[in-house]
Amino acid sequence: MEQKMRVLIVDDHALIRDGIRAMLESQLDIEVIGEAANGQDAVEKTRQLQPDIVMMDLTMPGMGGLEATRQIKKESPEVKVMALTMHENDEHFFQIINAGACGYFIKGGSSTELIAALRTVWQGDVFLYPSMAKKLLGDYLNRVRMGK
């Protein structure tokens, strides 16, 4: 049997965590190994559980997803972080990618898209939600035009 993808879900809303857990647990290749409600908890649970992927909400009380991602990537560079957020603005996107996230998923996406995104990240590729990929390409082309 193939190894299952081990996922830690991080979101400050229990209802969101419950929904994601139920959706992911219906997949034969995914195992939800834990949940965290804030960034500090996410860092500690990553240390304890060593997930393959941390699905990281960005906006949470206390330590947010950006700082938690920085700490996780510093301590456990092999752990993949996929941002799971409602934010479609450049600021959050570029900051979390800079911090080491290898995925950016918008909460408005479908469950099918989310599962595909997780599988993409697990295979070692990068997943960018289409609207964010367009922003990244636009930023890159702008830099090229300006000679940076």
Side-chain angles (χ1 to χ4, degrees):
M1 192 173 122
E2 275 188 49
Q3 183 184 354
K4 286 187 175 192
M5 174 190 337
R6 301 171 73 244
V7 178
L8 173 65
I9 301 167
V10 184
D11 196 291
D12 56 326
H13 297 98
L15 188 62
I16 299 283
R17 292 193 311 270
D18 291 348
I20 292 172
R21 177 184 280 274
M23 175 187 46
L24 296 182
E25 287 182 340
S26 72
Q27 303 299 307
L28 297 176
D29 60 340
I30 301 174
E31 179 185 3
V32 176
I33 59 167
E35 296 179 16
N38 60 58
Q40 186 59 48
D41 200 16
V43 172
E44 289 169 15
K45 290 217 168 129
T46 299
R47 273 185 209 127
Q48 294 165 7
L49 304 171
Q50 289 298 299
D52 296 313
I53 300 176
V54 177
M55 291 180 63
M56 183 73 73
D57 185 19
L58 297 185
T59 311
M60 297 178 284
M63 182 191 293
L66 180 61
E67 182 54 35
T69 297
R70 284 187 184 121
Q71 285 194 30
I72 287 168
K73 293 304 289 181
K74 185 177 177 185
E75 292 178 19
S76 307
E78 73 286 354
V79 173
K80 295 169 174 59
V81 176
M82 185 169 81
L84 179 66
T85 182
M86 62 182 184
H87 297 289
E88 286 192 70
N89 61 35
D90 295 2
E91 179 188 350
H92 285 92
F93 174 67
F94 289 112
Q95 285 181 341
I96 197 74
I97 296 299
N98 249 338
C102 54
Y104 198 94
F105 194 88
I106 305 297
K107 285 182 178 175
S110 73
S111 56
T112 306
E113 290 172 319
L114 180 60
I115 290 165
L118 277 172
R119 289 181 177 139
T120 297
V121 167
W122 191 38
Q123 292 166 357
D125 292 323
V126 171
F127 178 87
L128 301 178
Y129 199 75
S131 60
M132 303 317 290
K134 185 177 176 183
K135 285 181 190 278
L136 184 64
L137 181 60
D139 181 69
Y140 171 75
L141 292 174
N142 196 28
R143 288 172 191 254
V144 168
R145 276 188 226 104
M146 295 175 74
K148 290 184 178 178

